[in-house]
Coordinates of all heavy atoms in Angstrom, one line a residue:
N379 N -89.7 83.1 221.8 CA -89.1 81.8 221.8 C -89.1 81.0 223.1 O -89.4 79.9 223.3 CB -87.4 82.0 221.7 CG -87.2 82.4 220.2 OD1 -88.0 82.2 219.2 ND2 -86.1 82.9 219.9
L380 N -88.9 81.8 224.3 CA -89.1 81.2 225.5 C -90.5 80.7 226.0 O -90.8 79.5 226.4 CB -88.6 82.2 226.7 CG -87.3 82.6 226.8 CD1 -87.1 83.7 227.7 CD2 -86.5 81.3 227.3
L381 N -91.5 81.6 225.6 CA -92.9 81.3 226.0 C -93.4 80.0 225.2 O -94.1 79.1 225.7 CB -93.7 82.5 225.7 CG -93.6 83.5 226.8 CD1 -94.4 84.8 226.4 CD2 -94.4 83.1 228.0
L382 N -93.0 79.9 223.9 CA -93.5 78.9 223.1 C -92.9 77.6 223.5 O -93.5 76.6 223.6 CB -93.3 79.2 221.5 CG -94.2 80.4 221.0 CD1 -93.8 80.6 219.5 CD2 -95.7 80.3 221.3
T383 N -91.6 77.7 223.8 CA -90.8 76.4 224.2 C -91.4 75.9 225.5 O -91.7 74.7 225.7 CB -89.4 76.8 224.3 OG1 -88.9 77.4 223.0 CG2 -88.6 75.6 224.6
G384 N -91.6 76.8 226.6 CA -92.1 76.4 227.7 C -93.6 76.0 227.6 O -93.9 74.9 228.2
G385 N -94.3 76.7 226.8 CA -95.7 76.4 226.6 C -95.9 74.9 225.9 O -96.7 74.2 226.4
L386 N -95.2 74.6 224.9 CA -95.2 73.3 224.2 C -94.8 72.3 225.3 O -95.5 71.1 225.4 CB -94.4 73.3 223.0 CG -94.8 71.8 222.2 CD1 -96.2 71.7 221.9 CD2 -93.8 71.6 221.2
A387 N -93.7 72.5 226.1 CA -93.3 71.5 227.1 C -94.5 71.2 228.1 O -94.6 70.0 228.4 CB -92.1 72.1 227.9
G388 N -95.2 72.3 228.5 CA -96.2 72.1 229.3 C -97.4 71.2 228.8 O -97.9 70.2 229.4
F389 N -97.8 71.5 227.5 CA -98.8 70.7 226.8 C -98.3 69.2 226.7 O -99.2 68.3 226.9 CB -99.1 71.2 225.5 CG -99.9 72.4 225.3 CD1 -99.7 73.5 224.5 CD2 -101.1 72.3 226.1 CE1 -100.5 74.6 224.4 CE2 -102.1 73.4 226.0 CZ -101.7 74.6 225.1
L390 N -97.0 69.1 226.4 CA -96.5 67.6 226.1 C -96.5 66.9 227.4 O -96.9 65.7 227.5 CB -95.2 67.6 225.4 CG -95.3 68.3 224.0 CD1 -94.1 68.1 223.3 CD2 -96.4 67.6 223.2
L391 N -96.1 67.6 228.6 CA -96.0 66.8 229.8 C -97.6 66.4 230.2 O -97.9 65.4 230.7 CB -95.5 67.8 230.9 CG -93.9 67.8 230.9 CD1 -93.7 69.1 232.0 CD2 -93.5 66.6 231.4
F392 N -98.4 67.3 229.8 CA -99.7 67.1 230.2 C -100.4 65.9 229.4 O -101.1 65.0 229.8 CB -100.7 68.4 229.8 CG -102.1 68.2 230.3 CD1 -102.5 68.6 231.5 CD2 -103.1 67.8 229.3 CE1 -103.9 68.5 231.8 CE2 -104.4 67.8 229.7 CZ -104.8 68.1 230.9
T393 N -99.9 65.8 228.2 CA -100.4 64.8 227.2 C -99.9 63.4 227.9 O -100.7 62.5 228.0 CB -99.9 65.0 225.8 OG1 -100.3 66.2 225.3 CG2 -100.5 63.9 224.9
G394 N -98.5 63.5 228.1 CA -98.0 62.2 228.6 C -98.3 61.7 229.8 O -98.7 60.5 230.2
W395 N -98.4 62.6 230.9 CA -98.5 62.3 232.2 C -99.9 62.4 232.8 O -100.2 61.6 233.7 CB -97.6 63.1 233.1 CG -96.1 62.9 232.9 CD1 -95.5 63.5 231.7 CD2 -95.0 62.2 233.6 NE1 -94.2 63.1 231.7 CE2 -93.9 62.3 232.9 CE3 -95.1 61.6 234.8 CZ2 -92.7 61.8 233.3 CZ3 -93.8 61.0 235.2 CH2 -92.7 61.1 234.5
V396 N -100.6 63.4 232.2 CA -102.0 63.5 232.6 C -102.9 62.6 231.9 O -103.8 61.9 232.3 CB -102.4 64.9 232.9 CG1 -103.9 65.0 233.3 CG2 -101.5 65.7 233.7
L397 N -102.9 62.8 230.6 CA -103.8 62.1 229.7 C -103.5 60.7 229.5 O -104.3 59.7 229.5 CB -103.9 62.7 228.4 CG -104.5 64.1 228.3 CD1 -104.7 64.6 226.8 CD2 -106.0 64.1 228.8
G398 N -102.2 60.5 229.3 CA -101.7 59.0 229.3 C -102.5 58.2 228.3 O -102.6 58.5 227.1
T399 N -103.1 57.2 228.8 CA -103.8 56.1 227.9 C -105.0 56.9 227.1 O -105.3 56.5 226.0 CB -104.4 55.0 228.7 OG1 -105.1 55.6 229.8 CG2 -103.4 54.0 229.1
D400 N -105.5 58.0 227.8 CA -106.7 58.7 227.0 C -106.0 59.3 225.8 O -106.7 59.5 224.7 CB -107.2 59.7 227.9 CG -108.1 59.2 229.0 OD1 -108.3 58.0 229.1 OD2 -108.4 60.0 229.9
A401 N -104.8 59.8 225.8 CA -104.1 60.5 224.6 C -104.0 59.4 223.5 O -104.1 59.7 222.3 CB -102.9 61.1 225.1
V402 N -103.5 58.2 223.9 CA -103.3 57.1 223.0 C -104.8 56.9 222.2 O -104.8 57.0 221.1 CB -102.8 55.9 223.6 CG1 -102.9 54.7 222.8 CG2 -101.4 56.3 224.2
A403 N -105.8 56.8 223.1 CA -107.1 56.5 222.4 C -107.5 57.5 221.5 O -108.0 57.4 220.5 CB -108.0 56.3 223.6

Side-chain angles (χ1 to χ4, degrees):
N379 289 340
L380 288 173
L381 282 169
L382 297 182
T383 307
L386 185 65
F389 277 137
L390 296 187
L391 281 171
F392 186 86
T393 308
W395 298 72
V396 179
L397 291 182
T399 45
D400 289 353
V402 170

